[in-house]
Coordinates of all heavy atoms in Angstrom, one line a residue:
D916 N -2.5 -1.0 1.4 CA -2.2 -0.1 2.5 C -3.3 0.7 2.9 O -3.2 1.9 3.1 CB -1.0 0.7 2.1 CG -0.3 1.4 3.3 OD1 -0.5 1.0 4.4 OD2 0.4 2.5 3.0
K919 N -6.8 -1.8 7.6 CA -6.0 -3.0 7.9 C -6.8 -4.2 8.1 O -6.3 -5.3 7.8 CB -5.1 -2.8 9.1 CG -4.2 -1.5 9.0 CD -3.4 -1.4 7.7 CE -2.9 0.0 7.5 NZ -2.5 0.2 6.1
D942 N 1.2 -3.7 3.6 CA 1.9 -3.0 4.7 C 1.2 -3.2 6.1 O 0.1 -3.7 6.1 CB 2.0 -1.5 4.4 CG 2.9 -0.7 5.3 OD1 3.9 -1.3 5.9 OD2 2.7 0.5 5.4
N943 N 1.9 -2.9 7.1 CA 1.4 -2.9 8.5 C 1.0 -4.2 9.0 O 0.0 -4.4 9.8 CB 0.2 -1.9 8.6 CG 0.5 -0.5 8.1 OD1 0.2 -0.2 6.9 ND2 1.3 0.3 8.8
Ligands
LIG1284 MG1 1.0 1.7 5.8

Side-chain angles (χ1 to χ4, degrees):
D916 193 21
K919 306 309 162 197
D942 192 23
N943 309 99

